[in-house]
Amino acid sequence: MSKLHLKLLRDLRSSPFMFAGIVLLLLVGIALFVASYSLYLNLEQSYATSYRRLRLADFTVPVQSAPAQVVTRLRRLPGVREVEGRTIREVEIRLPTQRGRKVTGRILSLPESGWPRVNSLKLAAGAAPGTGLQRELLLEAGFAEYHGYRPGDTLNLVVQDDPLGFRIVGIVQSPEYIFVVRGREAPYPSESTFAVVWIREGVVDELFGTAGAVNDIGVTMAPGGNRRSAVRLAERLLEPYGAETAVPQEEQPSVELLRLDLLGLQNLAIFFPLLFLTIASLSAYNTLGRMVHEQQGQIGFLRAVGFSKATVGLHYLLYAVAMGVLGGGLGAGLGYYLGILITRFYTTQIQVPYYDVSPRWIVLVVGFALAVVVAVAASLSPALSAARMTPAEAISTQGPTGGRAPLIESWLPVLRRLPLQDRLPLRNFLRNPRRSFATVAGVASAAMLLLVATGLLDSSVAAIEFYFKSSVHYDILATYLEPQPQFSLERLRRSPGVRRVEPLLAMPARLTKSDQQQTILVYGIEPDSRLFLLYDQRERPVAVPPDGLLIPESTARKLNLWEGALVRLGLPEQSVPATADFSPAVTPPVPFLPVPEAWQPRYRELLFAPGRASIKLDLDRLIRVSGVSYQPVGITAYASIDQLREWYRAPLELPPKAINALALTADAANLSAIEQRLHDLDGIASVSVISTIRREIDTALEQAQVFFNIMLAFSMALAGIIIFNATLMNVIERTREISTLRTLGLSVGAAVRMIWVENLLAYVVGLLVGVPVGTWLAGLFILAYESESFNMRLVIFPHTYVITVLSILATMALAQLPGTRFIRRLDLAKATKAMG
Amino acid sequence: MSPSPDQVLLQLEGVAKSYVMGAVTVPALKPSTFAVRSGEFLMVLGPSGSGKTTLLNLVGGIDTPTAGRLLFRGEDLAQMADAELTSYRRYRVGFVFQFFNLVPTLTALENVQLVADLVDEPLDALETLDTVGLGDRANHFPSELSGGEQQRVAIARAMVKRPALLLADEPTGNLDFETGIRVLTVLTDLSRQSGTTTIVVTHNSVLAGIADRVLRMRSGEIVEVEEQPHPISPDEVRW
């Protein structure tokens, strides 16, 4: 080993904590990158494999009713590989153990024998249904798992008011329901209240009288087939049978939601590691900079005895390479295992038929290379400055630097009246920009880390608080199976304990502007509603408009709408359920948070009784946007209830003064009795009690809190390393100066106090920089998580700022301890003799 | 001729210092007995590694002996706690270092004032600076001063607190001859005018003539003590 390399090793050994600190930062950054990007790739590949192996339709055309033979004609279209027609119906499912909870079942017909050629299934347990007319079905795995169903159990489907028992013969996973959602407008996992079942088509035809007809046609394309042309031809061919607009694979609800989820994950997989790596590079830059500064004499010697500039420069770059190799190697290894763990945890919420989880070597290699590149890039400037030093300049005793009074003493004459021991820290802070910058940057980085980690949690809590404290002021929300006249509320109003009852009409809608459209739920509420409070984008209360539509921010952005703009209102295609979500649509906008059952939307057939679903309804009118509202979660537009009735009355043949839900407040003592009474009422579809939902949300938030506390602890530990390094370096670099003062009679306490004050100055400046930048970064982090349905705003509570600042100051106090110990144990004799 | 007890400022009785370097114990100062008289100008001479700086550090209270007693006006420095040693250095000792060790962010005057603030009855900082011939450079920062000027500030800084003992470790070691002589002149003048006991450590034997006594060291031992009843002035020193 060359002596220079030996020097490198010994230098590393002489300051192991600083070296380890940077290695740890790199390690965390790379581990996060490798883990999260591997997760992203694992999921993406698993989905793609599942779609391919189970032949997910390249596009689907919903029709009102088409003869089954049309499939044969469709197969002849150019570029088409396979076509399959099926019947889809929705029914109610009665669960014996779930009193009061109505579950929606979606029946999909299976071919008479074998598996579908399009949108096939993976059998997770049991067997395929027999080919006869037995009442057998296959149950989607998410629902089965949630409710504990196994092959051999019975499921009761209510078909035309008759509960029919079906034997579950198999549990299956479907490429269409990896993310079990009922439609694009309800982007929440709903395996508890939404069951998908597959039944042989003979049985389906017998139940619904649909023999020889299909209402949903899935098409797969041959390699190289022109899908656009096939879609056009298929739509034309199916037009006589009430064809809706074809749904391409990428707009299939599960596919689209998984893609959005992947997109958010990809953002996180890049953004968060980037933050760690940036901080690591800053630390590497500072440490190398200090090292070069300290070893100026050695550099001078090396150059004087004949080492070339390149050798000297490379020698210092090797430190960076060592840090990068160690941090990158360990980080990639840790990230690999973390990736497997996180993938396992992440996929507990979804049903993936085929997993493609494997070591993502390219990610490992990129992660490792990234660590080396980051470390080397950060160290380039100090290494170059070492290489460029002339021997004479480097070897000479460095004279004193910083020979001028700081301007601040001219601006604030009071400073000049302070004892010199108190003025020294300020001057020292200003005298050495490099050293001060290192400490300030360390503290600022720590503040950024903490704020980014806490920002997401605070924003989630704030969004939920906003929903429950500001928006929702009812205790119970109940939905009807069929639209009712409003006077049906009168009896309820007179019930004991009921304080206020308000009518609600909720209608699905499709908003179209130019070539953009969005499916949305419109709530019709009373103009003087006290149970539904609305807010504008600046979170100021706003009344429901007497005419026009108050749309959420996300819709305004997507369709490029503004107050006063016109938008086309229509009914959504049948490809999305023509029903509404009536539960408070709060899904925890935090990653990895399990979604409790009560958050999940409950759907009811609001508009269409089974068998009426194929009626073509016509609603198409231009309406005015009366304002844009702030809603942290969900996409709901608001209109006055009378206005909504006017829009929907004719096309849907609504009764006069129609409502299809109600909201009420009641005395706490009577709440339970009222809930029971509502359950017992005929025609009630679902009853949601806000306090129950809130409890479940709080429980889920507690779980999330654990996740964030771990993240916070992690960030604090890293912040500690950064501050510790910066502080200790600050003391070590000034050994001679402190020793001189100690030799001249300055007590340990006074010397420590001086260093403390100086560090405190750096911390204050670091916090002044780190807090706003950290807040800004937290905002970016929130943006990375934003989707159509989650419209969180960055909120960082004042107490979070206080905790962040106090944590950093506490870390600072701890970080002083080794410095203080160092000062106490200074060898004055040796240190005062040392050259500058 | 041994000094009478009331003349003794500092008494070394078998004082020794050794350092443990791994498995090896290196004696830096072998057991030494010696007295420093009040008001004398003592020069400690010896080559590198002779133990002179160790001796100075022990006397200055920035190092503690491994054996023996080191009495300052009857109080044993070897038995003092760290706080007592700090107090000893603060009120009794003035230091002048080879590399000046000025605080770079303080002006010449502020450097002197900083130390003056540590004691109850210091000299006037500006006057002291004036005494070393730097009254007109009072507001200059160390980076704006020459080496000699910096060392004179260091002397003023050491003297401003009226120390009983002034210790200078190679005060001219980092200066050219002419400047060194100027610094020594200041040092001896101040020392003699104020009656401050002064110990100067140097390896430069031509300076020996300016001291009242010369203590020669070799290999950690005091090998010779030479009285000089008629010391010369620094400007009479010839190389």
Side-chain angles (χ1 to χ4, degrees):
Chain A
M1 183 188 286
S2 83
K3 289 292 173 285
L4 263 187
H5 291 161
L6 192 65
K7 171 184 174 296
L8 183 142
L9 280 180
R10 292 197 177 149
D11 282 344
L12 292 181
R13 218 168 49 193
S14 69
S15 52
F17 292 117
M18 271 167 286
F19 181 71
I22 297 167
V23 168
L24 194 61
L25 282 169
L26 286 168
L27 185 154
V28 171
I30 297 305
L32 276 176
F33 169 74
V34 170
S36 48
Y37 216 86
S38 296
L39 168 68
Y40 165 74
L41 289 180
N42 283 342
L43 292 177
E44 193 190 39
Q45 288 302 312
S46 298
Y47 300 156
T49 305
S50 300
Y51 297 157
R52 193 185 67 250
R53 291 185 63 177
L54 294 174
R55 302 180 295 278
L56 179 67
D58 286 309
F59 68 92
T60 305
V61 188
V63 294
Q64 287 167 21
S65 180
Q69 296 89 325
V70 78
V71 167
T72 319
R73 288 166 63 197
L74 285 167
R75 280 196 190 116
R76 291 193 211 113
L77 293 179
V80 165
R81 177 153 69 183
E82 196 48 82
V83 182
E84 183 127 308
R86 62 184 176 182
T87 300
I88 299 180
R89 285 298 157 112
E90 290 199 353
V91 294
E92 185 187 329
I93 290 181
R94 287 213 183 129
L95 303 182
T97 53
Q98 307 268 317
R99 195 189 177 289
R101 173 155 294 173
K102 312 281 174 84
V103 172
T104 303
R106 177 175 293 171
I107 298 172
L108 290 88
S109 67
L110 280 173
E112 268 315 301
S113 61
W115 296 100
R117 282 181 280 196
V118 177
N119 295 327
S120 191
L121 301 166
K122 185 190 170 202
L123 195 63
T131 51
L133 292 176
Q134 303 93 323
R135 285 193 187 157
E136 292 177 344
L137 58 78
L138 294 171
L139 182 60
E140 187 275 317
F143 185 87
E145 191 179 303
Y146 188 90
H147 293 281
Y149 281 111
R150 291 181 189 161
D153 293 343
T154 300
L155 198 64
N156 289 311
L157 310 184
V158 183
V159 180
Q160 285 158 16
D161 293 335
D162 287 330
L164 304 175
F166 276 73
R167 198 165 73 86
I168 301 167
V169 292
I171 307 295
V172 291
Q173 290 172 319
S174 157
E176 294 175 277
Y177 297 97
I178 292 178
F179 200 91
V180 185
V181 288
R182 199 165 169 218
R184 290 174 65 201
E185 65 181 2
Y188 322 104
S190 44
E191 66 266 17
S192 67
T193 52
F194 178 55
V196 186
V197 299
W198 287 262
I199 300 175
R200 291 289 179 201
E201 64 186 17
V203 183
V204 174
D205 292 343
E206 192 183 68
L207 289 176
F208 300 102
T210 50
V214 292
N215 67 359
D216 187 81
I217 293 163
V219 181
T220 53
M221 300 298 298
N226 184 336
R227 188 176 73 168
R228 186 183 289 186
S229 135
V231 164
R232 205 178 53 243
L233 292 170
E235 280 180 346
R236 196 181 303 160
L237 206 145
L238 293 167
E239 201 181 349
Y241 311 111
E244 304 287 344
T245 311
V247 182
Q249 187 188 77
E250 58 274 17
E251 286 182 20
Q252 197 272 343
S254 168
V255 173
E256 187 176 32
L257 288 168
L258 291 175
R259 187 173 50 78
L260 283 174
D261 185 57
L262 276 180
L263 203 65
L265 194 65
Q266 194 184 22
N267 284 337
L268 289 186
I270 293 170
F271 182 81
F272 210 47
L274 199 67
L275 185 64
F276 276 88
L277 291 179
T278 307
I279 293 168
S281 66
L282 203 64
S283 286
Y285 168 77
N286 284 332
T287 305
L288 253 292
R290 283 168 192 259
M291 187 180 275
V292 167
H293 180 74
E294 271 178 21
Q295 298 188 351
Q296 193 174 320
Q298 297 176 35
I299 295 166
F301 160 75
L302 292 173
R303 293 280 290 114
V305 296
F307 284 96
S308 69
K309 282 184 178 183
T311 310
V312 170
L314 278 176
H315 171 65
Y316 286 96
L317 271 187
L318 266 183
Y319 286 95
V321 172
M323 291 188 286
V325 167
L326 212 56
L330 293 173
L334 180 68
Y336 168 66
Y337 286 105
L338 268 179
I340 292 173
L341 275 181
I342 299 175
T343 306
R344 209 173 283 163
F345 181 65
Y346 203 90
T347 50
T348 52
Q349 300 287 310
I350 49 179
Q351 292 294 331
V352 187
Y354 294 104
Y355 280 105
D356 186 352
V357 180
S358 56
R360 303 293 166 184
W361 297 114
I362 184 71
V363 179
L364 289 171
V365 170
V366 168
F368 177 77
L370 204 59
V372 177
V373 167
V374 163
V376 168
S379 312
L380 214 51
S381 160
L384 277 177
S385 78
R388 283 179 186 148
M389 274 181 203
T390 61
E393 170 199 12
I395 215 160
S396 67
T397 308
Q398 201 194 10
T401 55
R404 62 191 156 91
L407 283 175
I408 194 165
E409 285 189 20
S410 315
W411 299 335
L412 296 171
V414 68
L415 287 176
R416 273 181 275 168
R417 286 202 288 274
L418 286 175
L420 281 165
Q421 278 183 39
D422 296 333
R423 283 154 71 182
L424 253 184
L426 177 65
R427 290 201 184 175
N428 279 334
F429 174 70
L430 297 169
R431 135 190 166 203
N432 191 332
R434 183 188 52 80
R435 184 165 60 205
S436 303
F437 171 76
T439 317
V440 166
V443 173
S445 310
M448 286 177 218
L449 268 180
L450 291 178
L451 286 175
V452 168
T454 50
L456 195 57
L457 182 62
D458 277 6
S459 302
S460 310
V461 170
I464 289 163
E465 286 294 313
F466 183 85
Y467 186 82
F468 282 104
K469 292 211 167 137
S470 303
S471 295
V472 170
H473 286 260
Y474 49 81
D475 296 320
I476 292 180
L477 189 136
T479 63
Y480 290 98
L481 285 166
E482 296 278 346
Q484 309 280 318
Q486 188 171 328
F487 68 78
S488 59
L489 297 183
E490 289 311 313
R491 269 182 64 196
L492 203 59
R493 278 204 175 100
R494 290 194 295 272
S495 298
V498 170
R499 288 207 297 262
R500 185 178 174 87
V501 181
E502 286 189 10
L504 177 67
L505 183 64
M507 290 291 151
R510 187 191 60 216
L511 299 181
T512 312
K513 164 99 187 295
S514 307
D515 55 346
Q516 290 286 316
Q517 55 174 262
Q518 188 176 37
T519 302
I520 196 169
L521 192 66
V522 184
Y523 271 20
I525 59 173
E526 290 188 321
D528 59 347
S529 172
R530 279 190 249 155
L531 304 187
F532 296 89
L533 297 190
L534 309 175
Y535 297 86
D536 66 11
Q537 285 171 288
R538 293 164 72 181
E539 298 182 30
R540 294 174 306 195
V542 62
V544 64
D547 56 3
L549 195 64
L550 189 69
I551 59 168
E553 266 178 347
S554 57
T555 305
R557 265 201 308 272
K558 184 175 179 189
L559 302 186
N560 189 25
L561 291 171
W562 58 91
E563 188 178 337
L566 291 174
V567 63
R568 190 163 293 280
L569 173 76
L571 276 173
E573 307 288 357
Q574 269 200 297
S575 55
V576 291
T579 55
D581 162 20
F582 275 88
S583 74
V586 177
T587 297
V590 287
F592 312 128
L593 184 63
V595 180
E597 191 198 356
W599 292 20
Q600 295 160 13
R602 284 127 203 191
Y603 304 101
R604 293 305 312 163
E605 290 285 348
L606 284 166
L607 308 174
F608 312 104
R612 285 183 61 195
S614 60
I615 294 171
K616 179 89 172 175
L617 295 162
D618 192 22
L619 171 62
D620 183 15
R621 61 163 74 206
L622 270 180
I623 56 166
R624 198 176 59 82
V625 172
S626 62
V628 177
S629 70
Y630 168 58
Q631 291 169 34
V633 183
I635 38 172
T636 310
Y638 288 87
S640 89
I641 191 164
D642 287 334
Q643 176 73 85
L644 198 62
R645 284 168 181 153
E646 190 193 316
W647 289 338
Y648 281 79
R649 185 185 299 128
L652 296 187
E653 299 168 11
L654 295 178
K657 287 265 178 194
I659 64 167
N660 56 9
L662 66 93
L664 64 81
T665 50
D667 298 332
N670 297 82
L671 209 57
S672 182
I674 293 167
E675 181 193 358
Q676 191 57 54
R677 180 143 184 247
L678 282 166
H679 274 307
D680 295 340
L681 277 181
D682 278 347
I684 287 288
S686 72
V687 180
S688 306
V689 180
I690 286 296
S691 56
T692 311
I693 294 168
R694 181 71 215 241
R695 256 197 312 279
E696 290 189 25
I697 287 174
D698 286 343
T699 310
L701 259 187
E702 277 167 24
Q703 292 172 27
Q705 191 94 40
V706 172
F707 172 77
F708 275 95
N709 283 346
I710 292 170
M711 216 158 131
L712 199 66
F714 206 43
S715 301
M716 275 188 74
L718 289 174
I721 293 170
I722 296 168
I723 294 177
F724 176 83
N725 270 358
T727 307
L728 195 58
M729 276 308 292
N730 211 3
V731 176
I732 291 171
E733 273 191 2
R734 297 175 49 205
T735 302
R736 180 166 170 249
E737 189 178 319
I738 296 166
S739 306
T740 302
L741 293 173
R742 288 272 295 116
T743 303
L744 292 171
L746 201 70
S747 66
V748 170
V752 167
R753 190 171 65 92
M754 219 169 66
I755 295 294
W756 270 64
V757 172
E758 190 183 324
N759 284 336
L760 190 64
L761 277 173
Y763 293 146
V764 169
V765 176
L767 285 170
L768 287 176
V769 174
V771 168
V773 176
T775 306
W776 175 73
L777 281 176
L780 285 185
F781 196 69
I782 297 279
L783 271 186
Y785 224 77
E786 195 179 63
S787 71
E788 208 170 75
S789 309
F790 305 139
N791 187 25
M792 264 193 304
R793 285 182 174 177
L794 173 67
V795 175
I796 297 178
F797 297 130
H799 68 256
T800 301
Y801 283 115
V802 172
I803 290 170
T804 302
V805 170
L806 288 182
S807 307
I808 286 175
L809 292 181
T811 313
M812 164 205 148
L814 279 175
Q816 303 298 325
L817 295 179
T820 304
R821 188 162 164 267
F822 184 82
I823 291 175
R824 280 186 196 287
R825 302 177 79 174
L826 267 179
D827 183 340
L828 300 183
K830 206 187 283 179
T832 48
K833 278 291 274 185
M835 286 170 61
Chain B
M1 186 180 72
S2 57
S4 64
D6 60 331
Q7 285 182 304
V8 173
L9 182 74
L10 203 65
Q11 178 72 49
L12 283 77
E13 294 176 359
V15 170
K17 177 73 186 180
S18 50
Y19 296 102
V20 179
M21 323 273 268
V24 186
T25 302
V26 180
L29 181 69
K30 292 173 183 163
S32 305
T33 299
F34 180 72
V36 179
R37 298 175 203 139
S38 273
E40 77 170 323
F41 192 109
L42 180 72
M43 185 78 75
V44 181
L45 276 176
S48 288
S50 60
K52 55 188 191 303
T53 298
T54 303
L55 177 68
L56 194 80
N57 291 341
L58 292 171
V59 167
I62 59 175
D63 206 349
T64 47
T66 41
R69 300 205 307 157
L70 208 169
L71 303 169
F72 179 88
R73 287 179 179 157
E75 284 183 76
D76 190 358
L77 299 187
Q79 302 303 317
M80 283 185 183
D82 190 56
E84 290 171 298
L85 282 175
T86 300
S87 175
Y88 165 71
R89 292 197 302 269
R90 176 181 294 190
Y91 297 108
R92 309 287 177 223
V93 186
F95 271 96
V96 176
F97 305 96
Q98 179 179 354
F99 299 112
F100 330 134
N101 293 18
L102 297 182
V103 180
T105 49
L106 298 181
T107 61
L109 180 62
E110 287 167 343
N111 261 286
V112 180
Q113 189 66 52
L114 174 75
V115 175
D117 289 347
L118 292 174
V119 296
D120 301 328
E121 291 177 349
L123 298 172
D124 181 82
L126 188 57
E127 277 178 25
T128 313
L129 209 51
D130 212 23
T131 314
V132 298
L134 289 172
D136 57 338
R137 309 281 278 165
N139 291 319
H140 286 70
F141 282 88
S143 58
E144 298 163 337
L145 301 173
S146 69
E149 287 172 328
Q150 286 186 52
Q151 194 60 304
R152 280 189 280 158
V153 175
I155 293 168
R157 184 175 67 173
M159 293 301 290
V160 75
K161 58 181 182 181
R162 303 174 195 262
L165 182 62
L166 177 63
L167 304 176
D169 189 2
E170 300 279 10
T172 59
N174 210 34
L175 302 172
D176 60 71
F177 177 75
E178 295 295 329
T179 313
I181 292 301
R182 262 207 304 280
V183 165
L184 279 178
T185 306
V186 169
L187 196 65
T188 49
D189 286 354
L190 275 179
S191 163
R192 295 197 194 287
Q193 282 161 21
S194 60
T196 306
T197 308
T198 303
I199 304 177
V200 174
V201 161
T202 180
H203 65 281
N204 191 349
S205 56
V206 297
L207 301 177
I210 65 172
D212 297 325
R213 271 202 302 169
V214 178
L215 192 145
R216 292 181 203 279
M217 296 187 73
R218 192 180 307 135
S219 305
E221 274 183 300
I222 299 170
V223 292
E224 186 189 349
V225 179
E226 182 191 349
E227 297 278 350
Q228 296 196 138
H230 305 292
I232 58 169
S233 157
D235 51 16
E236 293 176 70
V237 171
R238 290 293 172 267
W239 217 260

